[in-house]
Amino acid sequence: MGQKSVDCSGGNLTEVPSDVPTDVQLLDLSNNLIQNITSVIEYNLTEIVTLDLSNNDLQSLQQRMFRNLRNLQSLDLSFNSIKTSDDDVFENLNLLSHLDLSWNNLTQIGADFLDGVSDLQVLNLSNNPIHEIHQDIFTDVSALRSLDLANTSYWILDDRIFGNLENLTDLNLQHNYITNISSFRSSFQDAISLRSLQLAFNNIENLTAYSFDHWSSLEELDLSHNWISSLEEHTFEGLQKLKTLKLDNNLLVYITLPVFSPLVSLRRLSLSEMAEMMYLGKQSFHGLKNLTYLNLSSNEKLGFLHEEIFHGLEEMKFLNLSHNNISHLSESTFPMPSNFSVDISGNNFECDCHLEWLVRKINSKSAQNRGTQFVNVENIFCKYLNKSVLPLQSLYNVSLQCQSTHASAAQVEIKFALGSSVRITCPFVDYPPPTITWITPHKLNLTVDLAHPISFLDHPSILDTRENGSYHIGHYWHNSDSYYPELEDRKDRIIILRDGSLYIDYFLRTDTGPYKCIIDSTQNMSTVLFLVWIDNDIFIEVKVMSLLVGFGCAASFFMLNLIQVFIMALARRCINQRRREAIAQFVDNFEKYRTAKLGSLKDNYNAQMARIRDTYRNRMDKLSDSYTNQMMRIREGASQIKEGTVPPSRHYPRQIPQSAEENTRL
């Protein structure tokens, strides 16, 4: 059985009608002129579950004004003129789960504003000129799941204000004055269930690394219409569950790093309406294997797309490239699976040979069932001979021409010294080709597109590779005299430069072999073969230097031996026979003197030890005799006492020695 409802909306009512049934459960009083709702209490409408008072003329909220509505679950007070609110307004509304106060004139939210609504799950405070929210406002509403603070002119968030919202899943902070993510990131450390975060239309300028690492559960993030000018490689680190990301209408100029690679679950990405966006590098969308929708439309300065930019987007279903400034597109740019759709309408294509593949594609009926499918083809135009603008559908039988491009040589043989920096230029004449591809002996493919002047952002310049250039930062082997064979595995050692030349940093033995340079101008293709060898002249220099060093070492050894012989001969000449005999006699005398002294010391030592032993024996004999005499007298005295000849006494009388000898013994 459904709820009993009463619809009083849009009746220009100034108060609640008195004839509303007391058992009503759904009461709609929206779009009236009601200024006071005390009659709701007076009429005792205690069974109301849903009350809609939106779009009326309520001015304030008084204390306990809804106290009788104990069954109320949903209350809509939006689009009124509420300026002030007392504490404990919603007391006794224990079942209230949805509260909408949007589009009012509230300026302050007190600490007790939400007392009594512990089961509140959805709160909308958007579009109020709030300049102060008490830090304890959400202390007792831990069940809150959705919070809308959009357009509240709020920009300072207290660190503790959202500390209790463990169940919060949706947070809307759009149209505020937030300038930095870190200013409120700590406020949501406990918002472990957050799924949707809306930050559009703020003043956010910078996104640093790990800006969102607190929100690992986040699935939707809207950062559109801000002032973001750059993204770091780890900006979105930690958002493994994110599925939708919006960055429209920011100030990004280019993206060259794989900044979105941490977003392994991302399915929808929007980068449209970027007034300054000029370039997207080939690694811009690296790692987005689950991406199905990509919006790159309405970027008026975006004129170039690297031919490998969309490689790896295995799940892509729709790509929007409309209303950009793209003039050329390569067929290899779209290696997408079947049922993949792309919109390239509203661009500035040139009607030349580079578009032949596209003309064939959009006019081929068989192409509609497989591979990339172009939509909105009736709005795809190109400039023909820089004059008229023609739809691509009308160019099916028109011959699209380009100036001829061909290589000026077929085969070149060059040599380089080991450890040197190598630059190989591919020779071609006439019209600059759209692409140059190098294939190394180890099957490494490197490609640069020269058709658009901004394509160089993916490649270093010649200046970058010169001594002390930015390319050599961290290259410990640069300008070193040692040989480093372990550099063979470094992927950044062999690169292609902006002008299409091949650069090999630190030439190794394994770098020798055939190198192919392929010049592709759509209408024709030329190949130049470079045979690269080690420069053997350096080995001749090494041999010469080795011989010189060897001769130098041999000469030094010979001179040292010669000097030694000369010194020995001079010593023998300077010391005559008489001096040698005198020295020998002195050494002999000294030896005799030493032997005599040692013998004397030994005899003296033995005599001293004999005297010490004799003295020791005499002392021990005297001590033994004295001890024996004393013991004899003690025994005699004891015998006399026992026989009664001497009176008993506590103490024995001191024995006075009879002679000097006895005194000495004692």
Side-chain angles (χ1 to χ4, degrees):
M1 186 175 179
Q3 292 180 328
K4 185 173 184 178
S5 62
V6 173
D7 187 355
C8 297
S9 62
N12 293 324
L13 300 174
T14 57
E15 61 180 12
V16 180
S18 59
D19 57 348
V20 175
T22 57
D23 60 345
V24 64
Q25 293 178 293
L26 194 157
L27 178 59
D28 188 352
L29 295 169
S30 62
N31 299 296
N32 284 291
L33 302 174
I34 300 174
Q35 295 183 353
N36 194 310
I37 58 172
T38 55
S39 53
V40 174
I41 301 173
E42 294 174 356
Y43 299 152
N44 198 27
L45 305 177
T46 58
E47 299 300 319
I48 294 180
V49 174
T50 301
L51 176 60
D52 189 349
L53 285 164
S54 63
N55 201 12
N56 276 279
D57 198 22
L58 297 175
Q59 302 292 317
S60 62
L61 297 176
Q62 289 82 35
Q63 188 177 33
R64 304 181 65 188
M65 65 188 302
F66 302 104
R67 62 180 178 273
N68 288 342
L69 307 183
R70 297 181 179 179
N71 292 306
L72 191 64
Q73 297 180 17
S74 177
L75 176 61
D76 190 347
L77 297 171
S78 62
F79 292 95
N80 279 278
S81 301
I82 302 172
K83 296 181 180 179
T84 59
S85 174
D86 296 336
D87 291 337
D88 301 324
V89 174
F90 308 106
E91 186 178 355
N92 294 331
L93 302 186
N94 297 324
L95 299 180
L96 188 66
S97 61
H98 289 69
L99 175 60
D100 191 346
L101 283 163
S102 61
W103 296 98
N104 279 282
N105 295 317
L106 291 170
T107 58
Q108 293 182 331
I109 304 295
D112 300 325
F113 180 70
L114 297 177
D115 279 3
V117 288
S118 58
D119 198 38
L120 190 65
Q121 298 181 26
V122 178
L123 174 61
N124 190 348
L125 293 171
S126 65
N127 296 285
N128 281 281
I130 301 173
H131 60 78
E132 181 180 351
I133 299 179
H134 197 277
Q135 65 181 25
D136 297 325
I137 178 64
F138 302 116
T139 301
D140 297 323
V141 288
S142 59
L144 196 66
R145 294 185 294 104
S146 177
L147 175 61
D148 194 339
L149 291 171
N151 197 22
T152 56
S153 303
Y154 206 55
W155 63 282
I156 299 178
L157 299 174
D158 190 276
D159 287 347
R160 295 166 292 176
I161 192 170
F162 303 107
N164 196 42
L165 302 181
E166 297 180 355
N167 296 301
L168 189 68
T169 59
D170 299 280
L171 175 63
N172 189 354
L173 293 172
Q174 296 185 86
H175 291 277
N176 284 297
Y177 298 101
I178 298 171
T179 59
N180 199 324
I181 296 295
S182 60
S183 65
F184 71 92
R185 184 176 65 171
S186 58
S187 305
F188 294 93
Q189 292 189 47
D190 296 325
I192 56 177
S193 301
L194 196 64
R195 299 289 186 270
S196 175
L197 178 59
Q198 310 296 322
L199 290 170
F201 296 95
N202 277 281
N203 295 330
I204 301 172
E205 296 181 1
N206 297 311
L207 293 178
T208 59
Y210 306 99
S211 293
F212 303 95
D213 57 347
H214 285 331
W215 298 308
S216 58
S217 60
L218 207 62
E219 296 181 1
E220 181 180 355
L221 176 61
D222 189 351
L223 292 166
S224 58
H225 298 273
N226 277 281
W227 302 91
I228 301 170
S229 58
S230 63
L231 298 174
E232 296 186 13
E233 192 167 2
H234 298 286
T235 294
F236 301 108
E237 198 73 43
L239 298 178
Q240 295 91 345
K241 296 182 179 180
L242 193 70
K243 296 180 180 179
T244 301
L245 174 61
K246 297 178 181 179
L247 284 166
D248 308 303
N249 209 313
N250 276 282
L251 298 180
L252 292 171
V253 179
Y254 56 83
I255 300 175
T256 57
L257 298 174
V259 294
F260 304 113
S261 58
L263 307 178
V264 293
S265 300
L266 195 67
R267 300 185 65 82
R268 299 178 65 87
L269 174 61
S270 188
L271 295 166
S272 67
E273 301 179 32
M274 303 275 193
E276 302 298 326
M277 175 65 74
M278 298 175 60
Y279 180 72
L280 294 171
K282 66 178 181 180
Q283 292 186 325
S284 298
F285 308 112
H286 178 74
L288 301 182
K289 295 183 178 181
N290 292 304
L291 193 68
T292 59
Y293 174 85
L294 177 59
N295 184 7
L296 298 175
S297 64
S298 302
N299 298 307
E300 58 186 28
K301 292 185 179 180
L302 182 61
F304 172 77
L305 291 176
H306 194 281
E307 64 175 9
E308 298 178 13
I309 189 173
F310 302 125
H311 289 210
L313 304 183
E314 302 170 355
E315 300 297 325
M316 182 65 69
K317 300 299 180 184
F318 184 77
L319 171 63
N320 191 349
L321 291 172
S322 63
H323 301 286
N324 290 304
N325 194 34
I326 301 172
S327 58
H328 295 88
L329 275 177
S330 172
E331 186 174 8
S332 59
T333 305
F334 306 102
M336 308 303 182
S338 59
N339 300 322
F340 165 73
S341 300
V342 58
D343 187 352
I344 58 173
S345 61
N347 281 280
N348 296 319
F349 295 113
E350 297 287 343
C351 300
D352 58 18
C353 62
H354 302 124
L355 287 182
E356 281 189 347
W357 70 272
L358 184 56
V359 173
R360 292 194 306 268
K361 187 75 173 176
I362 64 177
N363 286 283
S364 175
K365 295 181 180 180
S366 61
Q368 299 300 319
N369 299 320
R370 65 179 185 275
T372 304
Q373 299 183 25
F374 291 91
V375 299
N376 200 14
V377 294
E378 63 275 6
N379 292 316
I380 304 176
F381 299 89
C382 66
K383 295 179 182 179
Y384 188 72
L385 300 177
N386 293 325
K387 295 180 181 180
S388 57
V389 177
L390 301 176
L392 256 65
Q393 286 182 315
S394 66
L395 298 177
Y396 186 65
N397 295 318
V398 177
S399 178
L400 300 177
Q401 300 294 325
C402 286
Q403 291 179 327
S404 177
T405 299
H406 62 275
S408 58
Q411 181 170 317
V412 180
E413 186 170 344
I414 48 180
K415 299 178 180 180
F416 299 104
L418 289 175
S420 63
S421 296
V422 174
R423 178 171 169 261
I424 309 174
T425 302
C426 190
F428 60 86
V429 295
D430 297 328
Y431 189 68
T435 57
I436 289 182
T437 301
W438 285 91
I439 303 177
T440 70
H442 297 286
K443 305 305 178 184
L444 176 65
N445 283 37
L446 301 169
T447 301
V448 62
D449 193 326
L450 301 180
H452 197 281
I454 204 170
S455 63
F456 65 81
L457 287 177
D458 263 330
H459 308 278
S461 66
I462 297 176
L463 292 177
D464 294 334
T465 60
R466 291 180 179 176
E467 188 172 355
N468 299 323
S470 60
Y471 171 74
H472 294 296
I473 295 177
H475 290 184
Y476 60 88
W477 62 88
H478 189 56
N479 291 330
S480 174
D481 294 332
S482 301
Y483 187 70
Y484 301 94
E486 69 275 10
L487 298 180
E488 180 182 354
D489 296 329
R490 287 190 66 99
K491 296 181 180 180
D492 62 342
R493 190 177 60 86
I494 302 178
I495 58 175
I496 190 168
L497 302 182
R498 295 177 183 176
D499 64 345
S501 59
L502 185 71
Y503 182 80
I504 303 175
D505 189 34
Y506 202 88
F507 188 71
L508 299 173
R509 291 185 178 90
T510 55
D511 293 330
T512 58
Y515 288 75
K516 288 183 180 181
C517 175
I518 302 174
I519 304 168
D520 187 1
S521 63
T522 304
Q523 282 194 330
N524 64 316
M525 181 182 297
S526 302
T527 301
V528 182
L529 181 64
F530 291 86
L531 300 178
V532 179
W533 309 107
I534 298 175
D535 188 358
N536 293 324
D537 291 342
I538 192 172
F539 296 119
I540 297 176
E541 295 178 5
V542 171
K543 290 180 180 179
V544 172
M545 184 58 67
S546 299
L547 291 173
L548 292 176
V549 172
F551 282 127
C553 292
S556 299
F557 182 74
F558 175 75
M559 289 301 297
L560 288 174
N561 282 319
L562 187 61
I563 292 171
Q564 181 184 10
V565 172
F566 176 75
I567 292 174
M568 292 298 295
L570 183 62
R572 285 194 295 268
R573 179 178 292 274
C574 293
I575 302 175
N576 55 27
Q577 182 66 26
R578 182 178 297 175
R579 286 182 178 273
R580 290 198 296 272
E581 291 177 355
I583 292 172
Q585 185 62 40
F586 173 77
V587 172
D588 185 55
N589 292 338
F590 180 79
E591 181 64 24
K592 291 179 179 180
Y593 175 78
R594 185 181 68 83
T595 304
K597 281 294 183 181
L598 287 175
S600 177
L601 288 173
K602 184 177 180 181
D603 293 341
N604 186 30
Y605 172 77
N606 291 333
Q608 290 291 340
M609 291 301 295
R611 284 195 294 271
I612 291 171
R613 284 195 295 270
D614 292 341
T615 303
Y616 172 76
R617 291 192 188 98
N618 292 334
R619 291 289 183 182
M620 289 300 296
D621 291 343
K622 290 180 180 180
L623 288 173
S624 178
D625 293 342
S626 176
Y627 174 77
T628 303
N629 293 332
Q630 288 290 343
M631 292 302 298
M632 289 177 61
R633 284 196 293 269
I634 290 172
R635 284 195 293 270
E636 290 175 359
S639 300
Q640 293 176 0
I641 292 172
K642 185 176 180 180
E643 295 173 359
T645 57
V646 178
S649 175
R650 280 179 135 183
H651 302 283
Y652 291 106
R654 181 179 179 184
Q655 296 296 324
I656 300 175
Q658 299 299 319
S659 65
E661 182 179 355
E662 291 180 1
N663 188 28
T664 301
R665 289 175 182 173
L666 289 173

